[in-house]
Amino acid sequence: MIPMVAKRAVTVLLYVTVLQSVKGFLLHTNDRWIVSESGKRVKLACVNWVSHLDGAVAEGLNQQPLDMISKRIKSMGFNCVRLTWPLFLLTNHSLASLTVRNSFQNLALLQSINAVQAINPSIIDLPLIKAYQEVVKSLGENDVMVILDNHVSQPGWCCSNTDGNGFFGDQYFDPDLWITGLTNMATLFRGVSNVVGMSLRNELRGPKQNVNQWYRYMPKGAEAVHAANPEVLVILSGLNFDTDLSFMKEEALKLSFNGKLVLELHWYSFSEGKAWASGNANQVCGEVTGNVMRRAGFLLGQGFPLFVSEFGLDLRGSDANDNTYLNCFMAFAAQFDLDWALWTLGGSYYIRQGVVGMNEYYGILNSDWSEVRNPSFLQRISAIQIPFQGPGLSEAKPYKVIFHPLTGLCIIRKSLVEALRLGPCSDSDQWEYTDQSTVSIKGTYFCLQAEGEGKQAKIGNICSAPNSRWEMISDSKMHLSAQINNSSGVCLDVDTNNIIVTNTCKCLTKDNTCEPASQWFKLVDSTRN
Ligand SMILES: *[C@@H]1O[C@H](CO)[C@@H](O)[C@H](O)[C@H]1NC(C)=O
Ligand SMILES: *[C@@H]1O[C@H](CO)[C@@H](O)[C@H](O)[C@H]1NC(C)=O
Ligand SMILES: *[C@@H]1O[C@H](CO)[C@@H](O)[C@H](O)[C@H]1NC(C)=O
């Protein structure tokens, strides 16, 4: 029996806990990690939601009810939205006070007016700025964090070198007005607990871009946001469409505050043109990953979180260039356990670049926002939606999982008698890669062994022979290769039933037509329980 006094104390404690979890999201940084108030890692697994196009209205409200879209985001496993906004929405009162209806009328989007009126009647006559706030609120009600991303100044599709929105001093990019808009936005969402960060400006670019001006203005923007709203993470883009932060190797950024700065990086297949499809996949992956490390990845080692705030591909799945890129990207994202935001949520736009109802094949949802366009892709990225490592996750000592980027699965061993197969990474054994190049199960004498070409890989306990020494070969370093006899090596692979086998190593170099990704594996550090 609990005495009355103690009972009251318990009640008070519970109440405090509830308050905290409602207040909830406040984030800061600890070394390269984003963490909660209690210091536990929070991995940003976001999706971009476009709200910066001509009408300056969050897309999709003509397709599905707002609350349903928010719930769908949550149920797809995303914990966060990078919600874009055009600067002028926060600096031009006439624009901000235009209703959704007026905004669509100006664009002759009569069907969208009727649809929003029918599907989201509470939104259609709201001023644009209030409609934006409603979207943030709906996400908050569904436990989804928001990063406010200043995507452009002038509402409209982004980004080109010559669109006047690219760099300080461009036609639509006045630095002072930018500071004003950031301050207004930060102030508007002060105290809104699910707003956890602000991306200060998307994809800096164009003929005017340069490092000196970056160091001149970005700290000003960062300080303005911090002064107006000290609770948000301040997220800064690099140059060249947010692919290059290499200059930060030389010169530190001086800010008056600590523990809030995050750098963002964008990585698409088309940054390399068609190289992914026209080159050897191992060589392209090795080379591009090296470039990304030099341009941005090194920041992790300097103690900054790196947020890949845009990556994505044509989810119809038929673009060979995109598919090879994604295999390489998935390995990188898992290896460094990055924070990220998929481009993009919606499968269609009200109007984009003059085309009414344009389809978006990068959208995780289909054209009418009713279904997931490509469920196997969602399944695949679910592997990187939850953290592998980071402060406060578990007491477990670091171990390796053997990640298979093509499927988003990991090698698992159900029992000693069953075949090794691919399965959810959360079911992975705790593997270890030793100095002798064996891949063994931690704390045991068991290790991974090649039995021969076309045969299942096995677990054995004689681990000194060449068939249990696994070298990471090819430029991608993702082929795990062992010797089966004095003239032949094999690579780890999967068969059509996801059973782990060994086969002749595929297209290690030169061959530009073959696709090696079934043989790509990445040993990833994990402390998951
Ligand atoms: C402000 O917004 C209104 C409504 O969209 C537009 O007509 C006007 O040109 C804008 N003003 C400026 C200075 O951009
Ligand atoms: C080595 O293994 C390969 C692949 O199984 C086989 O074709 C070859 O005959 C073997 N060589 C020797 C010397 O056993
Ligand atoms: C190759 O031959 C050497 C010497 O005969 C032997 O020690 C070694 O284990 C052999 N390697 C394989 C993979 O069979």
Side-chain angles (χ1 to χ4, degrees), residues 162-189:
T162 54
D163 61 15
N165 287 274
F167 202 71
F168 305 106
D170 279 359
Q171 184 182 1
Y172 302 111
F173 198 167
D174 172 62
D176 295 330
L177 196 64
W178 176 66
I179 301 276
T180 302
L182 288 177
T183 302
N184 291 346
M185 194 61 154
T187 306
L188 185 65
F189 286 99

Side-chain angles (χ1 to χ4, degrees), residues 448-452 462-470 482-485:
L448 183 66
Q449 295 181 338
E451 296 278 287
I462 298 166
C463 300
S464 55
N467 71 331
S468 43
R469 297 229 183 90
W470 299 90
Q483 291 298 124
I484 50 168
N485 62 33

Side-chain angles (χ1 to χ4, degrees), residues 79-92:
N79 61 6
C80 140
V81 160
R82 181 172 180 255
L83 186 61
T84 67
W85 57 283
L87 187 73
F88 294 165
L89 183 63
L90 273 291
T91 59
N92 177 345

Side-chain angles (χ1 to χ4, degrees), residues 470-518:
W470 299 90
E471 305 296 337
M472 298 173 199
I473 61 167
S474 83
D475 284 4
S476 71
K477 296 280 178 281
M478 286 197 277
H479 288 269
L480 282 175
S481 170
Q483 291 298 124
I484 50 168
N485 62 33
N486 260 325
S487 56
S488 226
V490 287
C491 277
L492 211 57
D493 205 338
V494 289
D495 73 8
T496 49
N497 297 315
N498 279 351
I499 304 288
I500 309 301
V501 296
T502 52
N503 283 321
T504 307
C505 298
K506 276 196 277 191
C507 40
L508 297 180
T509 55
K510 294 196 186 105
D511 188 340
N512 299 348
T513 55
C514 112
E515 175 49 74
S518 74

Side-chain angles (χ1 to χ4, degrees), residues 380-392:
R380 196 169 157 194
I381 59 168
S382 70
I384 55 170
Q385 283 176 328
I386 39 177
F388 284 106
Q389 44 174 325

